[in-house]
Amino acid sequence: MTWEVVIGLETHTQLSTRSKIFSGASTAFGAAPNTQASAVDLALPGVLPVLNREAVACAIKFGLAVGATIAPRSIFARKNYFYPDLPKGYQISQYELPVVAGGGLKIRVGENEKFIHLTRAHLEEDAGKSLHEGFTDVSGIDLNRAGTPLLEIVTEPDMRSAAEAVAYAKALHTLVVWLGICDGNMQEGSFRCDANVSVRRKGDEKLGTRCEIKNVNSFRFLERAIEYEIRRQIELIEDGGTVVQETRLYDADRDETRSMRSKEDAMDYRYFPDPDLLPLMISEEWIANIRKEMPELPDAKQARFQSEYSLSAYDAATLTASKAVADYYERVLAKFRSEPKLAANWVTGDLSAALNRHELEIGASPVSAAALAGLLKRIADGTLSGKMAKDVFDAMWNGEGDADAIIDQRGLKQMSDSGAIEAIVDQVLAANPKSVEEFRAGKEKAFNALVGQVMKASQGKANPAQVNEVLKRKLAAGT
Amino acid sequence: MHQDTLAGLARRLAAREFSSVELTRALLDRAQSLGKTLNAYITLDEERSLAQAAAADARIARGEASPLTGIPIAHKDLFCADGWRTTCGSKMLANWISPYDAHVISRFNDIGAVLLGKANMDEFAMGSSNENSHFGPVRNPWEVSRVPGGSSGGSAAIVAARLAPAATGTDTGGSIRQPAAFTGVSGLRPTYGRVSRYGMVAFASSLDQGGPLARTAEDLALMLNVMAGFDPRDSTSVDRPAEDFSARLNAPLEGLRIGLPKEYFSAALSQDVATAILAAIEAYKKLGATVVEVSLPNQHLCVPAYYVLAPAEASSNLARYDGVRYGHRASEYSDLLDMYKKSRAEGLGAEVKRRILVGTYVLSHGYYDAYYLQAQKVRRLIANDFKAAFAQCDVIMGPVAPSVAFPLGSKTTDPVQMYLEDLYTISVNLAGLPGMSIPCGFGAAGMPVGLQIIGPWFEEARMLNVAHRFQQVTDWHSKVPPGVDA
Amino acid sequence: MSLTDADVRRIAHLARLAVSDTEVEAARGQLNGIFDMVEALRAVDTTGIEPMAHAVEMGQRLRDDAVTAPDLRDKYQAAAPAVEDGLYLVPKVIE
């Protein structure tokens, strides 16, 4: 029996606003409990919500980036349920008329590209947190997070494997961070995925019963949780059982999903339009203004990098994997425009390797874009050989100064004195009559051997281009 | 002093005939005596009130007074006032001290008015007789065995019994107008969005509106000048240029077109009330008004639509009373669910729970379209009826309630009978219109009758003018309840 | 429409209200009385009528993204039934 897996993702992205979606409390992470819970967040009697313009702007940006429709009129609704981390007894969300509808994202798994359709994206408020550690019979409620703006992004059930789901989640993560609407910090819960997973026999039209998996806070866990859930459902059906529609929690320690008891209640959320909040009207003008300020999107940037800088598709893709990397690269080019490929090699090569080694984001690189450009200039103008450049880069990484300072300090300047080079060439030719003979007999390889000898004799400092030129001249002259 | 109107007291305070402290002291004494008999207040805080009065006197001495500086005002106990117990007439909030000021309270504080006390009310503003208060029923100053109406029953009784020159109230389905009518005072429910709801504890958010109760239209205008105004903290607050509601009080009424909805004068209306209303209309004719018959064809659907929409909103608005962050928590419970259920069951009264159940039901799966959505559509029909009617007239007049104030306990067993009390007031709330009640005579058992004046959206100034001119030629508004020393 | 005791219990549970057996019975009668009255709505032809959710015809006003609320935790928690180390305490939450 072969099975088809059907996955849809719901992602809660915390929007990078200073204040909450409906109150003037700070959204900063990590404050002492309940110090960022305002009267509105606490749902004191009599308080009222007022919508944060920036949260709406974030939703518009996202909608434009995924080619969705921005609703000219959308409605906030109340989702009613009791939970200690939900102070009002309802969550303000959007139900029938969300702010963003449609659109989608291109993902790549291996060689295959696929378009994942979005159903919708809607604005809502986050809940607080229930803390259990250190308590026995009670839980502690911290409402600092209550009211943090979320954009819930919902896909169609378009994904067919855990790998596709992860690729989508990563692409979405890149995009929201790229747009600057979410900090993307998964550890702090800024980007949370719930996966709706079902299986059906290949060829079946009807979707199987789905389970929703919550509490997945890394891409790795997302993959493992989905894979576990797929196995569980298939085994269940193959053993003659049936999948029950339910919410399941992923337990990373045990690498399994389990039914959430708190959600056992058949939920009846009693959605209705929030009478405290009038229809959200978004004008064409507002959308046009945001469109003007939209950053260049990953796909467009990749295409431009290929055409403008003559980069390969691979290089362009690597450089546009994040906006920070792409921006860094273009800041390098701002100071060093002559060889974009050389710059690409260094950013995706040595710089990237060093960042990985030290587990640093490119924003925290000790070698700035300007500094790297300084190094690349010395490579391009022949001052440094490739090998020397790597040493200089390491020194720059360790904070020993800019490229020129390090070159001076270490006397690393490439030997370009033609007299000195000629003297070494003469020595090498005299010492290697066999190679000279072979070259004259037409063996090109012998030339390379001679170059190698000259470089060795100069301790790597001789300018390779100059060595070539002098060697060719002298061999041709027959001396 | 206590006999004087708000306008009169303001003039005398400004003339330094007496101080705000003297006036406040005198009214606090009345609150302790007659106020207790009527059970009109839930909370008094003499120290705070007198401190405010002393501050007002200093302000008057500095020459920085505005018309209501130093005037003691009673506030319905659902306006949050920083440092004041704010109970909403509920056991749930019996011990809750508000940590912040409602917008309305801030406006009164800003001009140096004195908060005289927190007025009794039906629990969470749900009721038409003020019998639903955790703190006991309020008595009608005209006859203590009768109800003062509700839900702003305390506010109305306070003004009628000359315990304060004016009070605030809220009106979700008639809660200012009906008690004003029952106690022979004037009350105004402004257009929805006119007065900020921030800090005014919600019953049904799309219907609630705060407004004043006072003895005269002139006083209502002074109160509305303070209460009305844009507030960015209320998303439904309407941003309009400031208006002086006192400016046009004396404009002549020649040519005023009064619409009388034929649906209002049906068998449901008791004869004594009808007689008083029609007499008032005759008085208006003498003032130069003309009368046109108008029709509100969906009038019979007001009560049904309201009793779907208001409970639906209330069921959600009152979900925050869960015993977690403030308010009543049951003393014994087995787990979280049990704590929720017991705290709410103990903290909330019978009528509030009934409406929460109705509201929960109409919003629940499978019933939403048939009830809630249908009621919203009917609401639109009702609003449209008014639009059409106002094409033919400047104001609509009619009764406030089908009968005069009824005896305590006479309608408590059948909720539907109680709901029908709001027959003539509810449509105003559904449409978001301004509505008033002014005294226009007496009916059965010598109880006051109120005339309802309904205006087009944001036409409060015109309505106050219409009411004021009537009060210039009649004296119903200056009649004093028999038990009250005039 | 007529509510049963089970309906009353279900909505009381949704609304988190404890109800005794006698309360269920009383509530059932009263709610049925209310729904009899409300039944009049269902006969109305509302085809093509836009539901009216608000009493004002305007769009939502938005506020600037600024932190304006100070930390008033101590003041707010003075009213709380149970707090510890700045946290509101509730019976154990089971997830």
Side-chain angles (χ1 to χ4, degrees), chain B residues 62-84:
Chain B
R62 288 197 304 273
E64 294 167 5
S66 44
L68 266 60
T69 306
I71 300 286
I73 306 284
H75 291 288
K76 187 175 184 178
D77 200 22
L78 51 58
F79 285 99
C80 291
D82 197 348
W84 283 81

mmCIF file of all heavy atoms in Angstrom, chain B residues 62-84:
data_model
loop_
_atom_site.group_PDB
_atom_site.id
_atom_site.type_symbol
_atom_site.label_atom_id
_atom_site.label_comp_id
_atom_site.label_asym_id
_atom_site.label_seq_id
_atom_site.Cartn_x
_atom_site.Cartn_y
_atom_site.Cartn_z
ATOM 1 N N ARG B 62 -8.686 81.095 42.493
ATOM 2 C CA ARG B 62 -7.642 81.548 41.559
ATOM 3 C C ARG B 62 -8.237 82.117 40.272
ATOM 4 O O ARG B 62 -7.521 82.570 39.400
ATOM 5 C CB ARG B 62 -6.729 80.375 41.187
ATOM 6 C CG ARG B 62 -5.804 79.908 42.304
ATOM 7 C CD ARG B 62 -4.661 79.056 41.755
ATOM 8 N NE ARG B 62 -5.124 77.911 40.977
ATOM 9 C CZ ARG B 62 -5.435 76.712 41.494
ATOM 10 N NH1 ARG B 62 -5.325 76.516 42.801
ATOM 11 N NH2 ARG B 62 -5.842 75.735 40.719
ATOM 12 N N GLY B 63 -9.563 81.999 40.173
ATOM 13 C CA GLY B 63 -10.212 82.496 38.967
ATOM 14 C C GLY B 63 -10.050 81.584 37.769
ATOM 15 O O GLY B 63 -10.092 82.017 36.628
ATOM 16 N N GLU B 64 -9.844 80.288 38.040
ATOM 17 C CA GLU B 64 -9.615 79.346 36.946
ATOM 18 C C GLU B 64 -10.781 78.387 36.760
ATOM 19 O O GLU B 64 -10.629 77.301 36.221
ATOM 20 C CB GLU B 64 -8.338 78.529 37.216
ATOM 21 C CG GLU B 64 -7.077 79.377 37.208
ATOM 22 C CD GLU B 64 -5.876 78.644 37.782
ATOM 23 O OE1 GLU B 64 -6.005 77.442 38.092
ATOM 24 O OE2 GLU B 64 -4.823 79.288 37.937
ATOM 25 N N ALA B 65 -11.943 78.808 37.228
ATOM 26 C CA ALA B 65 -13.075 77.885 37.207
ATOM 27 C C ALA B 65 -13.734 77.832 35.834
ATOM 28 O O ALA B 65 -13.742 78.802 35.089
ATOM 29 C CB ALA B 65 -14.095 78.320 38.242
ATOM 30 N N SER B 66 -14.259 76.673 35.504
ATOM 31 C CA SER B 66 -15.161 76.556 34.353
ATOM 32 C C SER B 66 -16.546 76.251 34.929
ATOM 33 O O SER B 66 -16.684 76.063 36.144
ATOM 34 C CB SER B 66 -14.655 75.495 33.382
ATOM 35 O OG SER B 66 -14.232 74.354 34.059
ATOM 36 N N PRO B 67 -17.595 76.217 34.100
ATOM 37 C CA PRO B 67 -18.957 76.182 34.650
ATOM 38 C C PRO B 67 -19.210 75.110 35.711
ATOM 39 O O PRO B 67 -19.957 75.353 36.644
ATOM 40 C CB PRO B 67 -19.814 75.934 33.406
ATOM 41 C CG PRO B 67 -19.035 76.523 32.291
ATOM 42 C CD PRO B 67 -17.594 76.328 32.641
ATOM 43 N N LEU B 68 -18.603 73.927 35.597
ATOM 44 C CA LEU B 68 -18.936 72.869 36.552
ATOM 45 C C LEU B 68 -17.894 72.670 37.652
ATOM 46 O O LEU B 68 -17.991 71.735 38.428
ATOM 47 C CB LEU B 68 -19.162 71.540 35.802
ATOM 48 C CG LEU B 68 -20.630 71.265 35.437
ATOM 49 C CD1 LEU B 68 -21.195 72.348 34.538
ATOM 50 C CD2 LEU B 68 -20.784 69.912 34.787
ATOM 51 N N THR B 69 -16.932 73.580 37.737
ATOM 52 C CA THR B 69 -15.911 73.458 38.783
ATOM 53 C C THR B 69 -16.582 73.518 40.166
ATOM 54 O O THR B 69 -17.363 74.424 40.435
ATOM 55 C CB THR B 69 -14.874 74.592 38.658
ATOM 56 O OG1 THR B 69 -14.345 74.590 37.339
ATOM 57 C CG2 THR B 69 -13.748 74.414 39.671
ATOM 58 N N GLY B 70 -16.282 72.518 40.980
ATOM 59 C CA GLY B 70 -16.821 72.486 42.332
ATOM 60 C C GLY B 70 -18.202 71.879 42.443
ATOM 61 O O GLY B 70 -18.735 71.738 43.545
ATOM 62 N N ILE B 71 -18.805 71.486 41.324
ATOM 63 C CA ILE B 71 -20.145 70.887 41.356
ATOM 64 C C ILE B 71 -20.028 69.390 41.670
ATOM 65 O O ILE B 71 -19.307 68.662 40.992
ATOM 66 C CB ILE B 71 -20.849 71.048 39.983
ATOM 67 C CG1 ILE B 71 -21.008 72.520 39.617
ATOM 68 C CG2 ILE B 71 -22.188 70.301 39.975
ATOM 69 C CD1 ILE B 71 -22.091 73.239 40.393
ATOM 70 N N PRO B 72 -20.728 68.929 42.690
ATOM 71 C CA PRO B 72 -20.700 67.492 42.991
ATOM 72 C C PRO B 72 -21.590 66.719 42.017
ATOM 73 O O PRO B 72 -22.742 67.099 41.772
ATOM 74 C CB PRO B 72 -21.277 67.404 44.411
ATOM 75 C CG PRO B 72 -21.280 68.823 44.921
ATOM 76 C CD PRO B 72 -21.448 69.687 43.712
ATOM 77 N N ILE B 73 -21.012 65.681 41.446
ATOM 78 C CA ILE B 73 -21.712 64.853 40.470
ATOM 79 C C ILE B 73 -21.658 63.397 40.940
ATOM 80 O O ILE B 73 -20.611 62.921 41.379
ATOM 81 C CB ILE B 73 -21.000 64.931 39.083
ATOM 82 C CG1 ILE B 73 -20.819 66.376 38.604
ATOM 83 C CG2 ILE B 73 -21.721 64.070 38.045
ATOM 84 C CD1 ILE B 73 -22.059 67.031 38.077
ATOM 85 N N ALA B 74 -22.784 62.716 40.811
ATOM 86 C CA ALA B 74 -22.793 61.273 41.122
ATOM 87 C C ALA B 74 -22.532 60.503 39.825
ATOM 88 O O ALA B 74 -23.004 60.896 38.755
ATOM 89 C CB ALA B 74 -24.140 60.872 41.696
ATOM 90 N N HIS B 75 -21.754 59.446 39.921
ATOM 91 C CA HIS B 75 -21.452 58.648 38.730
ATOM 92 C C HIS B 75 -21.966 57.234 38.877
ATOM 93 O O HIS B 75 -21.782 56.599 39.919
ATOM 94 C CB HIS B 75 -19.940 58.629 38.481
ATOM 95 C CG HIS B 75 -19.405 59.962 38.055
ATOM 96 N ND1 HIS B 75 -19.629 60.500 36.822
ATOM 97 C CD2 HIS B 75 -18.661 60.879 38.742
ATOM 98 C CE1 HIS B 75 -19.043 61.688 36.731
ATOM 99 N NE2 HIS B 75 -18.454 61.947 37.890
ATOM 100 N N LYS B 76 -22.592 56.788 37.820
ATOM 101 C CA LYS B 76 -23.045 55.399 37.795
ATOM 102 C C LYS B 76 -21.837 54.512 38.074
ATOM 103 O O LYS B 76 -20.745 54.754 37.539
ATOM 104 C CB LYS B 76 -23.642 55.082 36.418
ATOM 105 C CG LYS B 76 -24.316 53.707 36.325
ATOM 106 C CD LYS B 76 -24.997 53.532 34.965
ATOM 107 C CE LYS B 76 -25.763 52.212 34.864
ATOM 108 N NZ LYS B 76 -26.453 52.074 33.563
ATOM 109 N N ASP B 77 -22.043 53.485 38.874
ATOM 110 C CA ASP B 77 -20.899 52.717 39.366
ATOM 111 C C ASP B 77 -20.317 51.756 38.330
ATOM 112 O O ASP B 77 -19.851 50.669 38.669
ATOM 113 C CB ASP B 77 -21.257 51.963 40.654
ATOM 114 C CG ASP B 77 -20.000 51.585 41.440
ATOM 115 O OD1 ASP B 77 -18.956 52.238 41.225
ATOM 116 O OD2 ASP B 77 -20.062 50.645 42.253
ATOM 117 N N LEU B 78 -20.358 52.170 37.058
ATOM 118 C CA LEU B 78 -19.595 51.416 36.066
ATOM 119 C C LEU B 78 -18.608 52.316 35.351
ATOM 120 O O LEU B 78 -17.946 51.906 34.404
ATOM 121 C CB LEU B 78 -20.502 50.668 35.075
ATOM 122 C CG LEU B 78 -21.625 51.361 34.337
ATOM 123 C CD1 LEU B 78 -21.154 52.528 33.518
ATOM 124 C CD2 LEU B 78 -22.340 50.352 33.460
ATOM 125 N N PHE B 79 -18.525 53.586 35.830
ATOM 126 C CA PHE B 79 -17.452 54.449 35.340
ATOM 127 C C PHE B 79 -16.253 54.245 36.272
ATOM 128 O O PHE B 79 -16.347 54.524 37.469
ATOM 129 C CB PHE B 79 -17.894 55.916 35.342
ATOM 130 C CG PHE B 79 -18.851 56.255 34.234
ATOM 131 C CD1 PHE B 79 -20.223 56.325 34.467
ATOM 132 C CD2 PHE B 79 -18.385 56.497 32.937
ATOM 133 C CE1 PHE B 79 -21.112 56.629 33.442
ATOM 134 C CE2 PHE B 79 -19.267 56.804 31.901
ATOM 135 C CZ PHE B 79 -20.637 56.863 32.149
ATOM 136 N N CYS B 80 -15.165 53.750 35.718
ATOM 137 C CA CYS B 80 -13.977 53.490 36.528
ATOM 138 C C CYS B 80 -13.387 54.815 37.004
ATOM 139 O O CYS B 80 -13.235 55.753 36.222
ATOM 140 C CB CYS B 80 -12.929 52.746 35.715
ATOM 141 S SG CYS B 80 -13.432 51.053 35.338
ATOM 142 N N ALA B 81 -13.090 54.884 38.294
ATOM 143 C CA ALA B 81 -12.461 56.078 38.858
ATOM 144 C C ALA B 81 -11.283 55.620 39.710
ATOM 145 O O ALA B 81 -11.454 54.789 40.605
ATOM 146 C CB ALA B 81 -13.470 56.863 39.692
ATOM 147 N N ASP B 82 -10.131 56.127 39.395
ATOM 148 C CA ASP B 82 -8.889 55.704 40.046
ATOM 149 C C ASP B 82 -9.007 55.835 41.567
ATOM 150 O O ASP B 82 -9.310 56.918 42.071
ATOM 151 C CB ASP B 82 -7.738 56.576 39.518
ATOM 152 C CG ASP B 82 -6.376 55.961 39.806
ATOM 153 O OD1 ASP B 82 -6.307 54.995 40.601
ATOM 154 O OD2 ASP B 82 -5.386 56.447 39.239
ATOM 155 N N GLY B 83 -8.783 54.727 42.266
ATOM 156 C CA GLY B 83 -8.841 54.745 43.717
ATOM 157 C C GLY B 83 -10.227 54.511 44.291
ATOM 158 O O GLY B 83 -10.385 54.343 45.494
ATOM 159 N N TRP B 84 -11.237 54.531 43.437
ATOM 160 C CA TRP B 84 -12.610 54.291 43.879
ATOM 161 C C TRP B 84 -13.005 52.842 43.603
ATOM 162 O O TRP B 84 -12.701 52.294 42.550
ATOM 163 C CB TRP B 84 -13.592 55.181 43.120
ATOM 164 C CG TRP B 84 -13.620 56.603 43.576
ATOM 165 C CD1 TRP B 84 -12.743 57.577 43.231
ATOM 166 C CD2 TRP B 84 -14.590 57.198 44.441
ATOM 167 N NE1 TRP B 84 -13.099 58.758 43.837
ATOM 168 C CE2 TRP B 84 -14.233 58.562 44.577
ATOM 169 C CE3 TRP B 84 -15.728 56.719 45.117
ATOM 170 C CZ2 TRP B 84 -14.963 59.453 45.359
ATOM 171 C CZ3 TRP B 84 -16.455 57.611 45.891
ATOM 172 C CH2 TRP B 84 -16.068 58.973 46.022
#
